[in-house]
Amino acid sequence: MTRSCAAGRDVANPARGWLRAQLDREVDCSVRTLLGAMTERLSIAAGSAATLRRLSADGEWLSPVAAHHPDPGMTAAMTAIMEETAPRARSGLWRPVVEERRAVRYRVDPGRTPAEASDEQARFLDRFPVTAVLGVPVEHDGRLVGGTALVRYSVPRPFDDADEALLVDFAARAGVVLAMLEEYTTRHTSDG
């Protein structure tokens, strides 16, 4: 993430260090706000909950970036499960998205958790009436930078090709912004 003001200090030029820290924080906040707004628009367009995760630089973690559901309580619950990020090696429903870079669709029948679900995902699916999940990789310039998903609650209808096309289109746009966040963060946290 961004550096603290202390990490950005330039001993020879304190104003420069202060400005760098302020700008780094502003860019990080603005890009995350943009990604949150994009995820909200996806949710509205799809009529389903939406999530966006960023792949860590080492390729092991899918860190939460944004989630949206029309019910703020559900958004909070989704965000909480996203905070329990799992290493890619045991990412459950995300495994084929990350490892094989392909779209996946899961139909979730009441009382039956998909075998691929991680322990954290299974607990969430047991607690909330999820009926379908659609996940796709988020790429930029041939690199995997994250994953995005649509989640349907209570409505017993699986995701279809139109839903997948919508999510793939979103992923292409989100990939550009996630890559920009990654590049900016990497560049500006290392030039201390």
Side-chain angles (χ1 to χ4, degrees), residues 53-56 58-64 81-96 98-99 116-121 144:
R53 289 178 174 262
R54 177 180 168 199
L55 188 66
S56 64
D58 64 6
E60 292 298 318
W61 301 87
L62 281 170
S63 302
I81 189 64
M82 289 174 68
E83 292 296 335
E84 296 178 27
T85 54
R88 184 174 67 161
R90 55 180 206 95
S91 59
L93 301 174
W94 284 106
R95 182 182 308 249
V98 173
E99 295 294 333
E116 300 88 344
S118 68
D119 292 342
E120 296 89 355
Q121 292 164 340
L144 183 69

Side-chain angles (χ1 to χ4, degrees), residues 7 39 64-65 76 134:
T39 303
V65 173
L134 167 64

Side-chain angles (χ1 to χ4, degrees), residues 117-139:
S118 68
D119 292 342
E120 296 89 355
Q121 292 164 340
R123 282 193 299 276
F124 183 82
L125 294 173
D126 288 343
R127 185 172 170 206
F128 295 99
V130 173
T131 59
V133 178
L134 167 64
V136 302
V138 177
E139 298 180 89

Side-chain angles (χ1 to χ4, degrees), residues 13-189:
N13 188 342
R16 180 175 175 227
W18 177 87
L19 179 61
R20 277 183 165 184
Q22 297 301 311
L23 295 177
D24 288 352
R25 196 170 15 258
E26 187 66 33
V27 168
D28 184 77
C29 181
S30 296
V31 171
R32 288 177 187 281
T33 298
L34 171 60
L35 289 166
M38 290 172 68
T39 303
E40 180 179 351
R41 300 310 183 275
L42 169 64
S43 174
I44 293 166
S48 300
T51 67
L52 178 63
R53 289 178 174 262
R54 177 180 168 199
L55 188 66
S56 64
D58 64 6
E60 292 298 318
W61 301 87
L62 281 170
S63 302
V65 173
H68 184 77
H69 185 281
D71 175 355
M74 284 302 296
T75 297
M78 290 167 48
T79 301
I81 189 64
M82 289 174 68
E83 292 296 335
E84 296 178 27
T85 54
R88 184 174 67 161
R90 55 180 206 95
S91 59
L93 301 174
W94 284 106
R95 182 182 308 249
V97 173
V98 173
E99 295 294 333
E100 301 166 23
R101 292 191 190 187
R102 66 177 174 91
V104 294
R105 297 180 199 177
Y106 296 100
R107 181 175 163 195
V108 183
D109 295 320
R112 296 188 68 205
T113 302
E116 300 88 344
S118 68
D119 292 342
E120 296 89 355
Q121 292 164 340
R123 282 193 299 276
F124 183 82
L125 294 173
D126 288 343
R127 185 172 170 206
F128 295 99
V130 173
T131 59
V133 178
L134 167 64
V136 302
V138 177
E139 298 180 89
H140 180 69
D141 286 341
R143 281 185 317 109
L144 183 69
V145 294
T148 186
L150 292 174
V151 182
R152 193 164 275 153
Y153 294 89
S154 301
V155 179
R157 185 171 48 100
F159 287 108
D160 59 22
D161 292 345
D163 296 312
E164 186 174 321
L166 181 72
L167 190 56
V168 166
D169 193 53
F170 170 80
R173 286 164 171 69
V176 172
V177 183
L178 277 178
M180 181 176 70
L181 178 62
E182 175 185 50
E183 180 182 331
Y184 187 86
T185 301
T186 300
R187 182 183 312 154
H188 295 282
T189 56

